[in-house]
Amino acid sequence: MLNGVTSKICLLAALGFAVSASAVEKKKIDFVVGVDGDFKAAVTAAGKSGASVNNRFVIFVPDGEYDITKLTGDSHGKSTVSASYLSIIGQSLEKTIIANVTDTEGISLTATIYFPKNNEIYMQDITLQNKGSYNSGNAARQVALQQNEGDKFVYKNVRLLSGQDTYYTKKGRTYWEGGEIDGTVDFICGGGDVFFEGTKLVMTRNGGYITASQNPGDWGYVFNNATITVSNNSFNGTFYLGRSWGHAKTVFLNTKMIAQPKGEGWGPDMNSAPQVFGEYNSKDGNGNAVNTSQRKTYFNGGKDASTATTLKTVWNASDAAKYTLQNVLKGSDNWDPTKLTAQVSAPKIAQEGAEIVWADNDDARCWVVFVNGKYKANVIAPSFSLEGIAVGSKITVRAANSMGGLGAYSNEVATVDANATYYKVTLGDAIGGNVKTNLSSDKVLEGKTAIFAAEPNEGWTFAGWSGKSASLVDASKATVEIVADRDIELIPSFTAKGTTVFQVEDGNITNAAAESNNAGFNGSAFVNFAAGDLSMMQVPVYADVAGEYEVMVRYANGSGKARMLAAAAPGVCTTGIDGCKSAETLTFEATESWTTWDTLSITAKLPAGASYFTFATIAGNDGPNLDQLELKLVKADETTSVRGLATPSQTLTPTTRVRLFTLTGQLVREFVGSTVNTEKLAPGVYLLQTQNGAAFRQQIIRVK
């Protein structure tokens, strides 16, 4: 199939593709606040549950504001939560708020939630707010979240609101993903090793400090891809990145500074000089480099002059290279919190009779059902009974991962009478584009107007509709409507004539990501493969004629060593991993960096028209980043004839059967007798198959 590759393997399965990890145990949410009791009852149940590393206790908090000052708070409103292996999951960061109002100030007296000695805490999609000083403009020490001891804390999309000392840490490893922390002075303070990925930091006071690191762990506070902003534009340029509370370690990498600190960056020491203050690749809100020429380098130690030191505070790429998430948090057990924060994909739901149904997913612990935007139930089977649900109610579903964190909402289904008639909707594979529809599932209610809009990828054009329902519409129009009175079948066709370059991000991506963080790519993104489970992409390509092509694969591989991918040309791997008949191994040599792009040239046999070129990881190993494919015809297939029909109707003799297919093998129409009538077919290239007794003949025709 492919030439110039290292080896050929007959089955993709034989390549040792990694399969999905063991299925997550199906288990309902343990406690829903407002349904099973209040927040006090929830944390009490968690403490008595005997939760363990293999038996996590999950609390779900629906949207709403929950004042826990007197409910779980002590005399000052500080609430202690002692359970380990606990998840606290909100419905949304903006609307799920747990708050307290303290009657004093003090870093150890005021926390909205205090974890004294907990292990493996997970929080997601929730706001913690200490209202004692928030927005008052003072610097009272009133904490929103305090973690004293323990290990492996994870906060995904969590927001903390207070004034001074908003977030107070002491020991252990912590991972932040997204989320937001607001405050006035030292609003991220304390010790431990904490890695912040993509977290928003909001300064709410003139002249404050973002961090105050004290007796940190091996790494201290590491911010990567953070965003710094202010609540009032007059605060811009008046604050500091941080100050040393006690032998500080604080690093800012790849920070987007919509609001910028003072020119010196770092404030005066309190009781010792810092050990590490570093800043790398800071950009302003427009993506331009921040002027760091005035950044402070000498630190006098504050109250302890004996610790005075000079530090390199503006770093280069080499300085920053070791401050990776893996290095900071791996510890002795190779902890990888990103596996815990990975979200389960949104289910595609539909009504069938008196139930809402969706496909099962081994990665889902359970699913949470919402009716008209409000929590209704959580289930471990992929269905939900509509008993007692009013017709017209709007249903959505979210899948929970192993930690209980909820992924994106499903499509919305407005319920209808369970006895209504539905018809099946089938849309063929849209190679080179996609189809948008007003339908929420693959079924349509009788009498409903179904709308289908074909949208080509960049560089492609819509060529027409085929399929059993094509005769019901103007097949040449990109947007068509059908009033449902029978099953609907439409097959979109796209062409890319005149284009020989195809972007990989336009394809079908499985367990990989379209990214734009490494410069030098073409199109809108490149695709980054993932290690572990099978990672695969199908890139749509278009060949004017069948034949042998040189395929130039543009890639980057900054890993320092060669990486390999399995590749399958069109016709070999047409329906994903299960449809692959054979594949070959491609070796992508290392490039200088992830922003250095090279090309690997191979040859492949391509059919005429639109098809997929498939790439996949091998045996769970990571792959290079792929950017685009460029095709160059080497030799046309001499057995292929392309001709136009002189008239929209022709009689082919002698024949006993005549059928017309798309070039991807989908049956378009079977003709009665030997007359081929293409009058209502969309213009494009088709495969015409004729049969005369036991003899078959195939030819490619172009309908004009």
Side-chain angles (χ1 to χ4, degrees):
M1 254 331 275
L2 303 176
N3 300 314
V5 295
T6 57
S7 63
K8 182 172 183 177
I9 303 176
C10 294
L11 293 173
L12 276 175
L15 290 169
F17 285 120
V19 295
S20 296
S22 325
V24 173
E25 179 186 0
K26 290 292 185 285
K27 191 173 183 290
K28 295 185 71 173
I29 290 173
D30 298 286
F31 197 103
V32 178
V33 175
V35 175
D36 300 318
D38 58 20
F39 187 75
K40 180 178 182 179
V43 296
T44 299
K48 295 179 178 179
S49 68
S52 65
V53 65
N54 296 317
N55 185 29
R56 172 167 293 272
F57 192 91
V58 177
I59 298 172
F60 178 67
V61 188
D63 279 348
E65 184 167 333
Y66 303 83
D67 186 342
I68 62 171
T69 308
K70 296 181 179 179
L71 189 66
T72 54
D74 60 14
S75 60
H76 296 302
K78 175 181 177 179
S79 290
T80 299
V81 177
S82 299
S84 291
Y85 311 107
L86 170 66
S87 292
I88 302 177
I89 310 299
Q91 185 174 342
S92 66
L93 176 146
E94 297 82 5
K95 297 180 180 180
T96 306
I97 302 171
I98 295 177
N100 71 330
V101 181
T102 59
D103 65 355
T104 187
E105 79 94 37
I107 194 169
S108 299
L109 302 174
T110 55
T112 307
I113 288 185
Y114 167 50
F115 293 125
K117 196 173 182 179
N118 310 61
N119 288 310
E120 303 199 27
I121 295 295
Y122 183 96
M123 297 181 69
Q124 181 177 324
D125 298 331
I126 201 164
T127 290
L128 303 182
Q129 181 176 4
N130 191 321
K131 292 187 174 182
S133 63
Y134 183 63
N135 277 344
S136 68
N138 63 41
R141 296 172 298 166
Q142 292 171 315
V143 179
L145 176 61
Q146 178 183 350
Q147 55 189 67
N148 202 46
E149 295 186 23
D151 196 24
K152 297 183 180 179
F153 296 84
V154 178
Y155 304 105
K156 179 178 175 66
N157 200 33
V158 171
R159 180 172 62 175
L160 305 181
L161 304 177
S162 189
Q164 184 170 349
D165 302 344
T166 303
Y167 178 42
Y168 177 33
T169 67
K170 275 199 172 181
K171 295 181 180 179
R173 292 170 290 174
T174 302
Y175 175 59
W176 277 75
E177 187 173 288
E180 176 182 329
I181 307 175
D182 294 24
T184 58
V185 176
D186 304 342
F187 61 91
I188 301 172
C189 59
D193 292 323
V194 187
F195 194 97
F196 300 85
E197 177 61 43
T199 305
K200 182 179 180 181
L201 311 173
V202 183
M203 174 62 69
T204 62
R205 172 184 151 164
N206 194 24
Y209 306 84
I210 294 176
T211 65
S213 178
Q214 176 196 31
N215 301 320
D218 294 332
W219 302 88
Y221 292 151
V222 179
F223 298 87
N224 189 45
N225 296 313
T227 297
I228 298 176
T229 187
V230 290
S231 61
N232 185 318
N233 284 335
S234 67
F235 302 160
N236 193 6
T238 67
F239 60 90
Y240 298 91
L241 296 175
R243 58 179 173 174
S244 180
W245 184 7
H247 310 293
K249 295 179 182 178
T250 302
V251 176
F252 284 87
L253 309 176
N254 309 305
T255 307
K256 182 178 181 181
M257 297 181 176
I258 296 175
Q260 296 185 29
K262 287 188 175 183
E264 57 266 42
W266 306 95
D269 303 334
M270 287 187 281
N271 53 19
S272 70
Q275 292 185 2
V276 177
F277 272 172
E279 179 183 358
Y280 168 69
N281 193 34
S282 298
K283 299 292 181 69
D284 64 19
N286 296 317
N288 302 310
V290 169
N291 181 1
T292 56
S293 62
Q294 298 180 25
R295 291 295 192 255
K296 185 176 181 178
T297 59
Y298 177 73
F299 300 87
N300 63 20
K303 294 179 180 179
D304 186 355
S306 67
T307 65
T309 187
T310 298
L311 296 176
K312 180 181 181 181
T313 56
V314 179
W315 289 2
N316 58 33
S318 178
D319 299 321
K322 68 179 181 179
Y323 281 81
T324 64
L325 185 153
Q326 181 184 26
N327 286 343
V328 174
L329 297 182
K330 67 180 180 180
S332 61
D333 56 359
N334 289 313
W335 184 48
D336 181 2
T338 63
K339 292 182 178 179
L340 307 178
T341 59
Q343 303 292 282
V344 182
S345 59
K348 185 177 181 180
I349 67 173
Q351 182 176 346
E352 289 190 358
E355 285 188 320
I356 298 294
V357 298
W358 56 91
D360 199 356
N361 189 323
D362 286 345
D363 294 327
R365 170 188 168 119
C366 65
W367 293 269
V368 177
V369 181
F370 299 87
V371 178
N372 298 323
K374 296 184 177 181
Y375 171 86
K376 181 62 179 178
N378 68 94
V379 297
I380 58 174
S383 63
F384 170 69
S385 172
L386 292 174
E387 182 179 356
I389 305 298
V391 171
S393 297
K394 297 177 180 179
I395 311 295
T396 51
V397 178
R398 299 170 71 184
N401 64 11
S402 63
M403 308 300 282
L406 300 185
Y409 283 93
S410 69
N411 56 299
E412 183 179 272
V413 170
T415 60
V416 297
D417 186 343
N419 296 317
T421 300
Y422 287 86
Y423 295 106
K424 185 177 180 181
V425 177
T426 302
L427 295 174
D429 195 5
I431 302 178
N434 60 81
V435 178
K436 290 189 176 180
T437 176
N438 63 331
L439 305 179
S440 59
S441 71
D442 60 355
K443 294 186 178 180
V444 58
L445 180 67
E446 184 176 35
K448 180 180 178 65
T449 298
I451 303 173
F452 304 96
E455 297 184 349
N457 293 337
E458 184 73 24
W460 293 68
T461 58
F462 172 69
W465 298 99
S466 57
K468 293 179 181 178
S469 301
S471 61
L472 303 176
V473 300
D474 184 342
S476 65
K477 291 186 176 181
T479 300
V480 295
E481 298 182 2
I482 298 176
V483 178
D485 62 356
R486 69 193 78 178
D487 289 345
I488 296 174
E489 180 193 81
L490 285 174
I491 303 168
S493 295
F494 299 93
T495 62
K497 292 187 68 61
T499 298
T500 59
V501 176
F502 304 93
Q503 302 303 322
V504 297
E505 67 269 19
D506 290 335
N508 300 326
I509 299 174
T510 303
N511 193 29
E515 298 178 351
S516 57
N517 55 316
N518 295 336
F521 61 88
N522 294 322
S524 61
F526 59 87
V527 173
N528 182 5
F529 287 94
D533 294 343
L534 172 66
S535 184
M536 183 174 73
M537 70 177 68
Q538 294 179 293
V539 185
V541 296
Y542 186 91
D544 285 333
V545 297
E548 185 177 289
Y549 284 79
E550 179 184 11
V551 182
M552 286 161 282
V553 186
R554 192 168 190 264
Y555 76 96
N557 177 13
S559 68
K561 59 182 179 180
R563 289 186 172 182
M564 306 177 80
L565 291 176
V572 177
C573 194
T574 57
T575 57
I577 195 72
D578 294 331
C580 290
K581 302 172 185 176
S582 63
E584 300 185 28
T585 303
L586 303 182
T587 300
F588 295 83
E589 298 296 339
T591 58
E592 184 177 342
S593 69
W594 288 108
T595 58
T596 304
W597 300 88
D598 202 350
T599 57
L600 174 66
S601 180
I602 57 178
T603 57
K605 187 83 169 178
L606 302 182
S611 55
Y612 283 124
F613 210 110
T614 302
F615 299 91
T617 54
I618 300 172
N621 296 313
D622 207 345
N625 293 341
L626 295 193
D627 181 31
Q628 68 180 26
L629 306 184
E630 184 172 359
L631 307 184
K632 181 179 179 181
L633 179 64
V634 176
K635 182 180 180 183
D637 189 342
E638 296 178 358
T639 64
T640 298
S641 61
V642 178
R643 69 181 191 182
L645 290 180
T647 64
S649 180
Q650 284 190 3
T651 300
L652 306 176
T653 58
T655 57
T656 57
R657 191 181 193 190
V658 181
R659 293 190 295 175
L660 200 64
F661 298 85
T662 67
L663 294 182
T664 55
Q666 295 163 314
L667 178 63
V668 175
R669 188 171 300 173
E670 183 166 347
F671 299 96
V672 178
S674 58
T675 299
V676 178
N677 191 320
T678 61
E679 187 174 3
K680 293 185 178 181
L681 285 177
V685 180
Y686 297 86
L687 180 68
L688 181 67
Q689 183 186 86
T690 60
Q691 180 181 359
N692 182 20
F696 283 88
R697 181 173 181 269
Q698 292 189 151
Q699 66 185 91
I700 295 176
I701 65 170
R702 187 183 305 280
V703 176
K704 298 180 178 179

